[in-house]
Amino acid sequence: MPPVDEILFSRSPGESRFALMAGGVPVEFVIDRGAAGVGAFVLGRVLSVNRGLDAAFVDIGEPLPGFLASPGAAHGEGAVVLVQVTAASRGSKGAALSAQPSMQGSLLVYTPARPGLNLSRRIADDARREGLRTLLRGLLEPHEGLVVRTEAAEADEAALLAELTSLRGRWRSLSEQAAKAAAPARLLAVPPLAELLAAHPRVAALRVDDRAALAEAKALFPAAIHEEGVFDREAGEALDQALDPRVPLPGGGSLIIETTAAYVTVDIDSGGGAPLAANLAAVPEIARQLRLRGLAGHILIDIIPLKDRQAQARLLAALRKAVADDPTPTHVVGVTPLGSVEMTRERRRPSLAELLLDGGAPTRNAETLGLEGLRAALRAAFDRPQARIALAAAPGVAALLSRNHAALDDAARRLGRPLPVRAVPDVATYQIIEEP
């Protein structure tokens, strides 16, 4: 899988959407609606401790409390604790939290409370590994730790020192902010775009479809440009397809991808091809779809049965190679006794289906429809500036929008007046209307 070389950025009321592109093709979508995402720092308050689970439930200012594993004796009920989100909330599950923070850079990951020095396995040159180890070990304080990214192999000493200094400075600022804040409070919030640029240092282009977001983009990536409608034009179809359970394969086969509460299932339909050839043909698309859809957790692939152990081994090797470049840790476990391939992929954020769809149904949920409606209403208002544009929505959609004050305020700022949202029982989703 080629590295991400471009980001498409779409900002609209209540939502920021990012398409990570490689060679002009979307490989991953990130959609941010303001919830504490992976890497966010929060000053939380412990609501309760479950000794049986060895976990604490922590108020982090979201509808659902976060889950902190192995809280330790110091984090009893009522305690204020600085935590970092390791997996965003999804469905009925609150965010997963860690009390051992890390600061992410493009070359280094700084762990202020976890000593040690670990180098990426992808730094293959032994001499370079030893040089990095010697240099960085001499810079660390006893309580500090570092994870050295693959990109550090190409960096000089000055760049490594500059990033370590920057990460230390961010940690000091965070600690000072935490000392003054009242829990629950989001701390040192890093914009999603900044996180994506740090995670993908080879990005060479950033195109933004919202002129109001261009200044933010340029502050982080000076070469960013505005291009009206670029997200929908170049990534909209791929986003829609990533919500479809069926994925066509070359040669007439297909994948059927479904998500349950317990695991993700991928069924391979051969389309009449030979079993091993059909399974191998599906491998690249399986790897692509896992990342594109943000699928994670326990994954079962119902392959076309292979009785030959050598054929199974060949398929597993191909699958491991296909997911090796996925930036989200992904592991191919093996073939189960019943003949399915078992995999795991680290959960970092809700999948596209969990975020955008209504439960297991292939229909968009009320929040998604409401934010789509706001985008459509703003486009109509700008196209027809003399008209009194309003949004008519299904009662459930209108009710949810009425509670999203940040999105409605943003829409009003852009329009120069409040955008009316009307609950209309006869409307199934939303409609753009003109009022007298």
Side-chain angles (χ1 to χ4, degrees):
M1 194 176 298
V4 171
D5 55 18
E6 182 178 24
I7 296 177
L8 307 183
F9 176 19
S10 176
R11 166 75 60 75
S12 57
E15 186 174 73
S16 292
R17 299 181 295 167
F18 304 90
L20 308 186
M21 312 289 285
V25 177
V27 295
E28 187 173 345
F29 289 104
V30 175
I31 297 178
D32 176 63
R33 290 177 174 172
V38 173
F41 293 95
V42 183
L43 191 68
R45 186 178 297 279
V46 176
L47 298 174
S48 63
V49 178
N50 187 316
R51 297 302 178 192
L53 294 175
D54 189 22
F57 293 92
V58 182
D59 179 8
I60 59 171
E62 294 194 347
L64 296 173
F67 182 88
L68 175 63
S70 303
H75 298 150
E77 185 174 333
V80 174
V81 54
L82 174 61
V83 293
Q84 188 172 24
V85 176
T86 58
S89 62
R90 61 187 187 93
S92 60
K93 295 184 178 181
L97 309 173
S98 171
Q100 293 188 313
S102 64
M103 309 292 288
Q104 304 284 329
S106 59
L107 305 174
L108 305 169
V109 179
Y110 178 64
T111 56
R114 194 165 64 248
L117 181 63
N118 296 286
L119 278 72
S120 168
R121 295 177 182 177
R122 296 180 186 176
I123 302 177
D125 186 294
D126 289 340
R128 182 55 176 156
R129 290 180 67 87
E130 189 57 34
L132 287 168
R133 187 176 285 111
T134 301
L135 168 67
L136 295 171
R137 186 176 288 147
L139 298 174
L140 289 176
E141 299 295 333
H143 64 279
E144 295 178 320
L146 283 177
V147 177
V148 183
R149 293 182 180 274
T150 305
E151 290 74 18
E154 306 299 326
D156 59 23
E157 181 176 339
L160 292 166
L161 179 58
E163 181 154 295
L164 177 56
T165 301
S166 173
L167 293 172
R168 279 175 171 153
R170 285 171 55 193
W171 174 246
R172 282 195 299 271
S173 296
L174 177 71
S175 301
E176 292 168 0
Q177 190 179 356
K180 300 174 183 177
R186 188 89 60 88
L187 304 174
L188 202 69
V190 179
L193 179 59
E195 293 182 355
L196 291 174
L197 290 169
H200 301 282
R202 298 186 185 180
V203 166
L206 172 60
R207 289 185 283 166
V208 187
D209 72 1
D210 176 35
R211 193 176 294 279
L214 185 60
E216 174 193 335
K218 279 187 169 294
L220 297 168
F221 192 89
I225 62 171
H226 172 253
E227 192 172 324
E228 194 69 33
V230 65
F231 187 96
D232 288 338
R233 186 171 62 252
E234 299 192 18
E237 184 178 357
L239 180 57
D240 289 340
Q241 291 173 347
L243 298 173
D244 191 331
R246 180 177 292 273
V247 181
L249 295 173
S254 63
L255 303 176
I256 303 295
I257 302 175
E258 297 177 318
T259 302
T260 71
Y263 48 79
V264 175
T265 63
V266 181
D267 179 64
I268 302 176
D269 178 1
S270 70
L276 179 58
N279 285 325
L280 289 173
V283 162
E285 194 59 35
I286 290 172
R288 177 174 178 266
Q289 291 296 327
L290 293 180
R291 184 175 177 187
L292 192 68
R293 296 167 183 245
L295 299 172
H298 189 184
I299 301 164
L300 286 176
I301 304 174
D302 186 14
I303 64 173
I304 303 160
L306 296 171
K307 297 181 180 180
D308 184 347
R309 288 185 178 275
Q310 289 185 334
Q312 290 184 357
R314 185 177 170 189
L315 176 62
L316 292 177
L319 193 52
R320 289 187 176 109
K321 182 178 180 181
V323 301
D325 291 331
D326 191 332
T328 299
T330 305
H331 304 286
V332 179
V333 180
V335 178
T336 70
L338 295 179
S340 296
V341 172
E342 190 173 17
M343 299 178 59
T344 62
R345 188 169 186 267
E346 187 175 301
R347 190 180 303 282
R348 294 184 171 177
R349 60 175 65 91
S351 69
L352 290 180
E354 289 171 325
L355 190 65
L356 301 180
L357 300 184
D358 191 5
T363 54
R364 283 164 164 75
N365 59 32
E367 184 177 20
T368 301
L369 290 170
L371 297 178
E372 283 184 2
L374 286 183
R375 288 198 297 272
L378 286 176
R379 284 196 299 268
F382 292 136
D383 289 343
R384 291 174 277 166
Q386 303 306 316
R388 294 285 299 178
I389 296 296
L391 179 64
V397 174
L400 194 148
L401 264 184
S402 70
R403 297 192 294 272
N404 195 337
H405 303 295
L408 291 176
D409 289 347
D410 187 7
R413 280 194 300 271
R414 291 164 181 258
L415 193 56
R417 61 174 175 81
L419 177 67
V421 178
R422 312 297 186 200
V424 181
D426 294 340
V427 174
T429 56
Y430 63 83
Q431 291 179 359
I432 309 305
I433 59 174
E434 287 189 27
E435 295 189 327

PDB file of all heavy atoms in Angstrom, residues 98-116:
ATOM      1  N   SER A  98      -5.945   5.937  28.781  1.00  0.00           N
ATOM      2  CA  SER A  98      -4.678   5.523  29.370  1.00  0.00           C
ATOM      3  C   SER A  98      -4.197   6.624  30.295  1.00  0.00           C
ATOM      4  O   SER A  98      -4.351   7.811  29.996  1.00  0.00           O
ATOM      5  CB  SER A  98      -3.622   5.265  28.288  1.00  0.00           C
ATOM      6  OG  SER A  98      -2.344   5.074  28.866  1.00  0.00           O
ATOM      7  N   ALA A  99      -3.610   6.223  31.418  1.00  0.00           N
ATOM      8  CA  ALA A  99      -3.009   7.188  32.337  1.00  0.00           C
ATOM      9  C   ALA A  99      -1.507   7.320  32.110  1.00  0.00           C
ATOM     10  O   ALA A  99      -0.811   7.963  32.897  1.00  0.00           O
ATOM     11  CB  ALA A  99      -3.292   6.790  33.773  1.00  0.00           C
ATOM     12  N   GLN A 100      -1.001   6.702  31.023  1.00  0.00           N
ATOM     13  CA  GLN A 100       0.413   6.812  30.649  1.00  0.00           C
ATOM     14  C   GLN A 100       0.477   7.531  29.301  1.00  0.00           C
ATOM     15  O   GLN A 100       0.424   6.910  28.246  1.00  0.00           O
ATOM     16  CB  GLN A 100       1.063   5.440  30.555  1.00  0.00           C
ATOM     17  CG  GLN A 100       1.173   4.739  31.900  1.00  0.00           C
ATOM     18  CD  GLN A 100       1.989   3.469  31.815  1.00  0.00           C
ATOM     19  OE1 GLN A 100       1.798   2.653  30.922  1.00  0.00           O
ATOM     20  NE2 GLN A 100       2.914   3.295  32.745  1.00  0.00           N
ATOM     21  N   PRO A 101       0.573   8.859  29.318  1.00  0.00           N
ATOM     22  CA  PRO A 101       0.441   9.649  28.091  1.00  0.00           C
ATOM     23  C   PRO A 101       1.646   9.532  27.173  1.00  0.00           C
ATOM     24  O   PRO A 101       2.753   9.160  27.572  1.00  0.00           O
ATOM     25  CB  PRO A 101       0.306  11.082  28.616  1.00  0.00           C
ATOM     26  CG  PRO A 101       1.034  11.054  29.914  1.00  0.00           C
ATOM     27  CD  PRO A 101       0.788   9.696  30.498  1.00  0.00           C
ATOM     28  N   SER A 102       1.405   9.868  25.909  1.00  0.00           N
ATOM     29  CA  SER A 102       2.489   9.966  24.924  1.00  0.00           C
ATOM     30  C   SER A 102       2.220  11.163  24.035  1.00  0.00           C
ATOM     31  O   SER A 102       1.071  11.493  23.751  1.00  0.00           O
ATOM     32  CB  SER A 102       2.599   8.689  24.089  1.00  0.00           C
ATOM     33  OG  SER A 102       1.427   8.484  23.313  1.00  0.00           O
ATOM     34  N   MET A 103       3.290  11.827  23.603  1.00  0.00           N
ATOM     35  CA  MET A 103       3.194  12.976  22.710  1.00  0.00           C
ATOM     36  C   MET A 103       3.740  12.554  21.352  1.00  0.00           C
ATOM     37  O   MET A 103       4.890  12.110  21.249  1.00  0.00           O
ATOM     38  CB  MET A 103       4.006  14.158  23.252  1.00  0.00           C
ATOM     39  CG  MET A 103       3.720  14.524  24.711  1.00  0.00           C
ATOM     40  SD  MET A 103       2.078  15.206  24.972  1.00  0.00           S
ATOM     41  CE  MET A 103       2.250  16.817  24.231  1.00  0.00           C
ATOM     42  N   GLN A 104       2.921  12.701  20.320  1.00  0.00           N
ATOM     43  CA  GLN A 104       3.274  12.219  18.992  1.00  0.00           C
ATOM     44  C   GLN A 104       3.993  13.288  18.176  1.00  0.00           C
ATOM     45  O   GLN A 104       3.534  14.428  18.089  1.00  0.00           O
ATOM     46  CB  GLN A 104       2.003  11.802  18.236  1.00  0.00           C
ATOM     47  CG  GLN A 104       1.151  10.776  18.950  1.00  0.00           C
ATOM     48  CD  GLN A 104       1.728   9.388  18.888  1.00  0.00           C
ATOM     49  OE1 GLN A 104       2.393   9.027  17.914  1.00  0.00           O
ATOM     50  NE2 GLN A 104       1.486   8.586  19.914  1.00  0.00           N
ATOM     51  N   GLY A 105       5.121  12.920  17.584  1.00  0.00           N
ATOM     52  CA  GLY A 105       5.806  13.762  16.622  1.00  0.00           C
ATOM     53  C   GLY A 105       5.985  13.011  15.322  1.00  0.00           C
ATOM     54  O   GLY A 105       5.636  11.833  15.218  1.00  0.00           O
ATOM     55  N   SER A 106       6.526  13.663  14.311  1.00  0.00           N
ATOM     56  CA  SER A 106       6.724  12.993  13.023  1.00  0.00           C
ATOM     57  C   SER A 106       7.926  12.059  13.050  1.00  0.00           C
ATOM     58  O   SER A 106       8.013  11.117  12.261  1.00  0.00           O
ATOM     59  CB  SER A 106       6.896  14.025  11.912  1.00  0.00           C
ATOM     60  OG  SER A 106       8.011  14.868  12.174  1.00  0.00           O
ATOM     61  N   LEU A 107       8.879  12.303  13.972  1.00  0.00           N
ATOM     62  CA  LEU A 107      10.085  11.474  14.070  1.00  0.00           C
ATOM     63  C   LEU A 107      10.113  10.652  15.353  1.00  0.00           C
ATOM     64  O   LEU A 107      10.657   9.537  15.371  1.00  0.00           O
ATOM     65  CB  LEU A 107      11.336  12.352  14.031  1.00  0.00           C
ATOM     66  CG  LEU A 107      11.491  13.295  12.842  1.00  0.00           C
ATOM     67  CD1 LEU A 107      12.702  14.200  13.039  1.00  0.00           C
ATOM     68  CD2 LEU A 107      11.622  12.503  11.537  1.00  0.00           C
ATOM     69  N   LEU A 108       9.525  11.208  16.424  1.00  0.00           N
ATOM     70  CA  LEU A 108       9.617  10.598  17.743  1.00  0.00           C
ATOM     71  C   LEU A 108       8.249  10.572  18.415  1.00  0.00           C
ATOM     72  O   LEU A 108       7.388  11.396  18.123  1.00  0.00           O
ATOM     73  CB  LEU A 108      10.578  11.397  18.636  1.00  0.00           C
ATOM     74  CG  LEU A 108      11.998  11.640  18.120  1.00  0.00           C
ATOM     75  CD1 LEU A 108      12.700  12.670  18.995  1.00  0.00           C
ATOM     76  CD2 LEU A 108      12.783  10.336  18.078  1.00  0.00           C
ATOM     77  N   VAL A 109       8.073   9.619  19.328  1.00  0.00           N
ATOM     78  CA  VAL A 109       6.935   9.602  20.236  1.00  0.00           C
ATOM     79  C   VAL A 109       7.505   9.721  21.645  1.00  0.00           C
ATOM     80  O   VAL A 109       8.314   8.882  22.071  1.00  0.00           O
ATOM     81  CB  VAL A 109       6.114   8.315  20.099  1.00  0.00           C
ATOM     82  CG1 VAL A 109       4.944   8.327  21.078  1.00  0.00           C
ATOM     83  CG2 VAL A 109       5.615   8.143  18.667  1.00  0.00           C
ATOM     84  N   TYR A 110       7.112  10.765  22.352  1.00  0.00           N
ATOM     85  CA  TYR A 110       7.659  11.082  23.663  1.00  0.00           C
ATOM     86  C   TYR A 110       6.749  10.518  24.746  1.00  0.00           C
ATOM     87  O   TYR A 110       5.535  10.774  24.750  1.00  0.00           O
ATOM     88  CB  TYR A 110       7.771  12.604  23.794  1.00  0.00           C
ATOM     89  CG  TYR A 110       8.273  13.126  25.118  1.00  0.00           C
ATOM     90  CD1 TYR A 110       9.566  12.847  25.551  1.00  0.00           C
ATOM     91  CD2 TYR A 110       7.462  13.919  25.919  1.00  0.00           C
ATOM     92  CE1 TYR A 110      10.035  13.351  26.765  1.00  0.00           C
ATOM     93  CE2 TYR A 110       7.914  14.437  27.121  1.00  0.00           C
ATOM     94  CZ  TYR A 110       9.202  14.147  27.540  1.00  0.00           C
ATOM     95  OH  TYR A 110       9.660  14.646  28.729  1.00  0.00           O
ATOM     96  N   THR A 111       7.302   9.725  25.672  1.00  0.00           N
ATOM     97  CA  THR A 111       6.530   9.141  26.764  1.00  0.00           C
ATOM     98  C   THR A 111       7.092   9.656  28.084  1.00  0.00           C
ATOM     99  O   THR A 111       8.035   9.091  28.631  1.00  0.00           O
ATOM    100  CB  THR A 111       6.591   7.601  26.708  1.00  0.00           C
ATOM    101  OG1 THR A 111       7.962   7.169  26.735  1.00  0.00           O
ATOM    102  CG2 THR A 111       5.958   7.079  25.437  1.00  0.00           C
ATOM    103  N   PRO A 112       6.532  10.748  28.609  1.00  0.00           N
ATOM    104  CA  PRO A 112       7.133  11.431  29.764  1.00  0.00           C
ATOM    105  C   PRO A 112       7.103  10.634  31.056  1.00  0.00           C
ATOM    106  O   PRO A 112       7.876  10.935  31.971  1.00  0.00           O
ATOM    107  CB  PRO A 112       6.299  12.710  29.884  1.00  0.00           C
ATOM    108  CG  PRO A 112       5.007  12.386  29.217  1.00  0.00           C
ATOM    109  CD  PRO A 112       5.337  11.450  28.119  1.00  0.00           C
ATOM    110  N   ALA A 113       6.214   9.644  31.166  1.00  0.00           N
ATOM    111  CA  ALA A 113       6.123   8.882  32.411  1.00  0.00           C
ATOM    112  C   ALA A 113       6.428   7.405  32.199  1.00  0.00           C
ATOM    113  O   ALA A 113       6.167   6.595  33.088  1.00  0.00           O
ATOM    114  CB  ALA A 113       4.726   9.047  33.010  1.00  0.00           C
ATOM    115  N   ARG A 114       6.973   7.058  31.053  1.00  0.00           N
ATOM    116  CA  ARG A 114       7.259   5.659  30.747  1.00  0.00           C
ATOM    117  C   ARG A 114       8.677   5.572  30.193  1.00  0.00           C
ATOM    118  O   ARG A 114       8.896   5.758  28.997  1.00  0.00           O
ATOM    119  CB  ARG A 114       6.231   5.115  29.752  1.00  0.00           C
ATOM    120  CG  ARG A 114       6.240   3.615  29.633  1.00  0.00           C
ATOM    121  CD  ARG A 114       5.001   3.093  28.927  1.00  0.00           C
ATOM    122  NE  ARG A 114       4.892   3.517  27.543  1.00  0.00           N
ATOM    123  CZ  ARG A 114       3.980   4.359  27.073  1.00  0.00           C
ATOM    124  NH1 ARG A 114       3.100   4.901  27.892  1.00  0.00           N
ATOM    125  NH2 ARG A 114       3.937   4.691  25.809  1.00  0.00           N
ATOM    126  N   PRO A 115       9.679   5.313  31.057  1.00  0.00           N
ATOM    127  CA  PRO A 115      11.068   5.310  30.593  1.00  0.00           C
ATOM    128  C   PRO A 115      11.331   4.201  29.578  1.00  0.00           C
ATOM    129  O   PRO A 115      10.631   3.189  29.521  1.00  0.00           O
ATOM    130  CB  PRO A 115      11.864   5.056  31.886  1.00  0.00           C
ATOM    131  CG  PRO A 115      10.934   5.365  33.001  1.00  0.00           C
ATOM    132  CD  PRO A 115       9.565   5.034  32.500  1.00  0.00           C
ATOM    133  N   GLY A 116      12.364   4.417  28.780  1.00  0.00           N
ATOM    134  CA  GLY A 116      12.782   3.403  27.816  1.00  0.00           C
ATOM    135  C   GLY A 116      12.973   3.992  26.438  1.00  0.00           C
ATOM    136  O   GLY A 116      12.480   5.095  26.138  1.00  0.00           O
TER     137      GLY A 116
END
